[in-house]
Amino acid sequence: MKNHRTTETQKKTVWQKDRQKGTGGTDIMLKNEEIRGAMTIQLGNEYPDYPEFAEGIRRAPDRGFRLTKAQTRIALKNALRYVPEELHAKLAPEFMEELTTRGRIYAYRYRPKERIYGKPIDQYKGKCLAGKAFQVMIDNNLDFDVALYPYELVTYGETGSVCQNWLQYRLIKKYLEELTEDQTLVVESGHPLGLFPSKPTAPRVIITNSIMVGMYDNLDDWEIAEEMGVANYGQMTAGGWMYIGPQGIVHGTFNTILGAGRKYLGVAEHGDLAGKLFVSSGLGGMSGAQPKAANIANAVGVFAEVDLSRIKTRYDQGWVNTISDNLDEVFAEAKQYLAEKKSISIAYHGNIVDLLEYAVAHNIHIDLLSDQTSCHNVYNGGYCPVGLTFDERTHMLHSDRDEFERRVNASLRRHFDAIVALTKRGTYFFDYGNSFMKAVYDSGVQEISKNGVDEKDGFIFPSYVEDIMGPVLFDYGYGPFRWVCLSGKPEDLDKTDAAAMSCIDPTRCSQDRDNYIWIRDAKANKLVVGTQARILYQDAEGRTNIALKFNEMVRSGEIGPVMIGRDHHDVSGTDSPFRETANIKDGSNVMADMAVQCFAGNAARGMSLCALHNGGGVGIGKSINGGFGLVLDGSERVDNIIRSAMMWDVMGGVARRNWARNEHSVETSVKYNEKWAGKAHITIPYFADDELVKKTVADALK
């Protein structure tokens, strides 16, 4: 009888011989067997059935295929590295077809069959509360009722994605199920790098998206990187798992248009927009907030949208009141409601350029005018050129990108000319942070530049941050605080609404009065889309007090656990010269120190999730965003994090705005130093006399 015992030397010999027999004379097969054995968290060799695509669900357009043969080989390898080798022969042709026909490898086969939505937290597997909480947030982002292109993992903003593909989605979910309080999951542009030892007071998840080396930090190189599967455009709250549906921007839009009315239209401090016409475009994930905000502000709103499916989404939600593709009808109805000083939101199925040129030709007065198309991604479908239907736009994106770009540029010229004509008649136009004016400038319309040379000094029309949000809210520390009731119970949201109200003194300042009314009426305004969530603009003190109150309620068992976070158009988390930091005038608007410091500071203080992103809202290379999420579990540990991290997250931005000599931020910083004497301190700038500076410069540069 043979002895089947094998010595270590013999094992090595056998191993070496087997390596030599690998497929194609390589040792890949054995290496892959070793790799499989080295991982306990992996996708495995399951080969899922190909999904059926539901009728009526929006699909992302073909993003274009522009890789070289060498880059294509790498892109395919990059997707195949998520699955065992025995599946490669089946999946390679499938992935290749996706890449060449859709412009990206989405790995549709790996999308779960079951409905994806933010389920109650107790329905998720996990070894810690945070791991379950993040699964709620991710799935809410991909809910059919929430996401813009759910099959392509795009939550909003045309390209804002949870991650790159369904392979990553599945693997992230597996990691979150295994995550413990002594580990941190690291996610880089959608790829779960792995679990690493940490401690309960450290973040549970750290995310970065599209953080590109400066030399390559431009749209062209980013597109190649995303196509190769190494970059993810997170749009901050999509890729940072903190999106709460279009409600997240309703409050900001309400504040913006109401602030514009008070500042430029003679609306009383306690008044609303009755009898005022607000016109804009876009009804997608973020822009869809506009009609709802107009209704709440009691305005007449008219919103152009080329994609009928987006209009129907808002109409079914009750956020749009009527739909028409006839401009005579649109403005006749608007005129009627303006005369009666009643609110209505009208969706025009057509191009915004046609609408504005109609208003110019028929001498229609527009009080407030903006744009919310995805101009941060203007040449990839974010903006539909006038003269093309939505379907024609989608086809041309695939068939003739050069012609599409030419048409976009021509359309932006007409768009700009119509705005100029209207503003000369008294319309107040503002850029609503979608990079519209930068897109117009990039299209060749140099006269939009304020200095006539470049975009460095801004544009002839204001950003909403420059004129409204910055001086009225951000400089004081007010921004989009938000929370999600992880239990999924509407009654928990009701209780948190009431608790938030109890923390606000409406007599303290006008901002608090507006916010008190907002949260008081939030349920009646039916803002929830997706999971049970709320947005409420608050300052550092308000956010801290509300968060502590919520954590106390969790501790007592009054409500289930809560996730708190914020959006990126906020006081501190984002450096973006065309949006969030548009009112920074000391030259530092091009610096990204604040966003990075915000991210690092939140991580150091133990926020549950810390995220850093490139490009949110305005496009790659135009901003850096730092965000957070904090799971309120009722513990004293979380109380301590709230007290340190919440104040830092807001006041770091106030301090930076104060150093830029923003008057209201200086006032807020002075009060902060007085209140927190001995515990905290902000550096405050001295002001130089303008005349002295002018004379000194003039004398020196004669």
Side-chain angles (χ1 to χ4, degrees):
M1 182 179 279
K2 282 187 178 179
N3 186 348
H4 289 282
R5 297 181 63 186
T6 309
T7 65
E8 289 300 315
T9 304
Q10 290 172 318
K11 284 181 182 177
K12 188 174 180 180
T13 305
V14 170
W15 181 85
Q16 289 173 332
K17 286 180 179 177
D18 286 345
R19 280 176 85 101
Q20 294 169 2
K21 296 177 186 176
T23 306
T26 70
D27 58 6
I28 291 177
M29 180 62 78
L30 199 72
K31 279 187 176 179
N32 282 335
E33 286 179 0
E34 290 180 315
I35 289 165
R36 189 202 305 266
M39 292 189 292
T40 56
I41 304 172
Q42 57 182 300
L43 294 182
N45 60 3
E46 178 191 359
Y47 186 66
D49 293 334
Y50 201 79
E52 294 183 7
F53 295 93
E55 291 288 330
I57 302 301
R58 284 182 297 271
R59 301 293 305 280
D62 173 15
R63 303 297 189 186
F65 175 68
R66 61 186 62 81
L67 300 182
T68 65
K69 191 172 286 186
Q71 290 169 335
T72 303
R73 288 195 291 265
I74 294 172
L76 187 57
K77 285 182 179 180
N78 287 349
L80 292 172
R81 60 187 167 181
Y82 285 102
V83 294
E85 189 185 11
E86 60 259 37
L87 298 177
H88 289 187
K90 291 181 180 178
L91 291 171
E94 192 172 294
F95 289 173
M96 192 64 200
E97 184 184 13
E98 290 180 12
L99 183 59
T100 54
T101 62
R102 312 279 316 174
R104 303 288 186 272
I105 296 174
Y106 296 113
Y108 292 120
R109 181 175 295 279
Y110 285 83
R111 185 186 185 275
K113 286 184 179 179
E114 65 272 12
R115 177 193 168 199
I116 299 176
Y117 68 104
K119 298 186 289 290
I121 191 169
D122 59 8
Q123 294 184 24
Y124 289 91
K125 299 176 184 176
K127 296 180 178 179
C128 71
L129 188 66
K132 296 179 184 179
F134 298 139
Q135 293 180 67
V136 177
M137 303 302 292
I138 290 172
D139 284 353
N140 184 64
N141 275 10
L142 296 171
D143 187 332
F144 280 176
D145 292 336
V146 174
L148 178 63
Y149 303 130
Y151 284 114
E152 289 74 38
L153 300 107
V154 175
T155 301
Y156 67 94
E158 200 61 33
T159 51
S161 304
V162 171
C163 52
Q164 299 172 48
N165 55 57
W166 292 105
L167 296 159
Q168 291 180 343
Y169 169 87
R170 287 201 178 209
L171 193 53
I172 289 169
K173 293 290 289 283
K174 284 179 175 288
Y175 271 112
L176 290 173
E177 290 175 359
E178 296 297 325
L179 179 69
T180 73
E181 294 283 356
D182 295 306
Q183 296 170 323
T184 294
L185 172 63
V186 177
V187 180
E188 296 181 353
S189 276
H191 169 64
L193 197 70
L195 296 177
F196 296 88
S198 58
K199 54 186 178 181
T201 53
R204 297 280 69 78
V205 176
I206 292 182
I207 296 173
T208 53
N209 278 304
S210 290
I211 305 299
M212 304 188 74
V213 174
M215 178 178 174
Y216 300 95
D217 194 5
N218 60 77
L219 186 59
D220 288 341
D221 283 314
W222 170 80
E223 284 184 0
I224 295 298
E226 191 180 57
E227 200 169 336
M228 291 177 70
V230 295
N232 183 59
Y233 190 74
Q235 277 276 35
M236 220 298 275
T237 54
W241 310 342
M242 278 304 304
Y243 190 62
I244 61 168
Q247 177 189 176
I249 195 66
V250 174
H251 197 351
T253 306
F254 169 79
N255 281 332
T256 299
I257 61 176
L258 198 58
R262 290 169 177 174
K263 191 170 181 179
Y264 298 103
L265 305 180
V267 173
E269 190 66 24
H270 297 275
D272 57 28
L273 296 181
K276 306 297 183 185
L277 177 60
F278 171 43
V279 172
S280 188
S281 56
L283 288 173
M286 298 293 280
S287 52
Q290 296 179 112
K292 188 66 175 179
N295 280 337
I296 297 172
N298 205 28
V300 172
V302 176
F303 308 97
E305 172 60 66
V306 291
D307 181 358
L308 187 59
S309 75
R310 303 184 200 199
I311 293 175
K312 287 180 176 177
T313 295
R314 302 302 163 219
Y315 182 77
D316 292 342
Q317 288 172 347
W319 288 23
V320 162
N321 304 121
T322 62
I323 304 169
S324 176
D325 60 2
N326 184 304
L327 287 170
D328 290 335
E329 291 178 357
V330 167
F331 283 107
E333 190 166 32
K335 185 179 180 180
Q336 176 190 338
Y337 277 80
L338 286 167
E340 297 173 357
K341 293 193 173 182
K342 293 180 179 178
S343 174
I344 188 173
S345 283
I346 306 167
Y348 167 60
H349 181 214
N351 197 287
I352 182 64
V353 177
D354 288 327
L355 185 151
L356 296 182
E357 290 179 344
Y358 179 97
V360 172
H362 292 78
N363 203 29
I364 295 168
H365 177 67
I366 296 171
D367 296 288
L368 299 175
L369 175 62
S370 193
D371 183 88
Q372 267 273 281
T373 54
S374 294
C375 282
H376 66 277
N377 199 32
V378 68
Y379 299 117
N380 285 295
Y383 180 91
C384 181
V386 65
L388 292 180
T389 65
F390 186 70
D391 288 342
E392 289 169 343
R393 155 267 197 190
T394 302
H395 177 72
M396 189 175 286
L397 269 171
H398 173 73
S399 64
D400 194 343
R401 293 292 292 265
D402 290 340
E403 176 62 11
F404 183 79
E405 183 170 335
R406 188 194 69 76
R407 291 204 181 202
V408 166
N409 291 341
S411 184
L412 286 169
R413 159 56 75 180
R414 286 172 59 179
H415 200 154
F416 170 76
D417 289 342
I419 292 169
V420 169
L422 290 165
T423 56
K424 286 179 177 178
R425 300 176 184 177
T427 295
Y428 173 74
F429 172 82
F430 60 95
D431 185 313
Y432 197 26
N434 62 335
S435 211
F436 172 76
M437 288 191 293
K438 181 64 165 68
V440 170
Y441 176 81
D442 290 343
S443 74
V445 183
Q446 194 163 4
E447 57 262 48
I448 200 171
S449 164
K450 188 180 287 186
N451 61 24
V453 178
D454 54 32
E455 71 273 51
K456 299 296 189 296
D457 294 328
F459 304 104
I460 61 173
F461 301 120
S463 155
Y464 79 115
V465 172
E466 285 181 282
D467 270 21
I468 305 163
M469 296 290 276
V472 175
L473 292 164
F474 292 172
D475 286 355
Y476 288 103
Y478 285 86
F481 178 63
R482 53 177 58 179
W483 64 90
V484 174
C485 295
L486 296 166
S487 67
K489 297 177 180 176
E491 55 265 37
D492 277 12
L493 186 59
D494 292 344
K495 291 174 183 176
T496 56
D497 283 349
M501 277 181 66
S502 73
C503 295
I504 301 172
D505 177 6
T507 65
R508 185 172 75 131
C509 59
S510 61
Q511 292 92 338
D512 279 345
R513 183 192 66 243
D514 289 347
N515 290 328
Y516 183 87
I517 294 170
W518 169 269
I519 195 66
R520 182 196 68 192
D521 298 341
K523 184 177 182 179
N525 285 322
K526 299 178 180 178
L527 298 167
V528 172
V529 179
T531 194
Q532 298 296 313
R534 186 71 74 219
I535 183 171
L536 172 63
Y537 271 59
Q538 282 291 284
D539 63 356
E541 186 174 332
R543 298 185 207 195
T544 301
N545 292 338
I546 292 171
L548 287 170
K549 178 69 174 176
F550 288 177
N551 201 44
E552 181 186 328
M553 294 165 71
V554 175
R555 187 158 48 242
S556 68
E558 186 177 351
I559 58 173
V562 174
M563 172 80 81
I564 62 172
R566 57 164 170 76
D567 200 1
H568 51 95
H569 62 104
D570 198 5
V571 180
S572 63
T574 301
D575 289 295
S576 180
F578 305 113
R579 185 158 75 176
E580 286 85 349
T581 46
N583 69 324
I584 300 292
K585 303 298 186 183
D586 68 342
S588 67
N589 59 324
V590 300
M591 306 302 293
D593 296 293
M594 180 176 69
V596 176
Q597 289 282 4
C598 184
F599 165 77
N602 283 335
R605 289 166 175 82
M607 291 290 203
S608 305
L609 179 149
C610 296
L612 190 68
H613 310 262
N614 182 358
V618 291
I620 289 295
K622 300 184 182 73
S623 72
I624 297 291
N625 311 289
F628 79 88
L630 178 62
V631 180
L632 307 186
D633 61 4
S635 67
E636 290 187 15
R637 172 183 66 83
V638 169
D639 279 348
N640 292 330
I641 294 171
I642 292 168
R643 291 189 181 98
S644 63
M646 199 62 65
M647 294 297 285
W648 154 250
D649 187 72
V650 178
M651 292 309 299
V654 172
R656 180 255 206 276
R657 293 169 182 276
N658 135 89
W659 191 241
R661 296 182 292 273
N662 289 19
E663 186 178 351
H664 297 315
S665 290
V666 172
E667 295 168 6
T668 304
S669 297
V670 168
K671 291 177 182 177
Y672 180 85
N673 281 0
E674 291 171 353
K675 184 170 183 176
W676 297 96
K679 295 181 180 179
H681 194 275
I682 290 171
T683 306
I684 300 172
Y686 292 102
F687 288 80
D689 181 76
D690 282 343
E691 293 305 315
L692 171 66
V693 171
K694 287 178 184 176
K695 184 178 184 305
T696 304
V697 172
D699 290 346
L701 301 181
K702 284 180 179 176

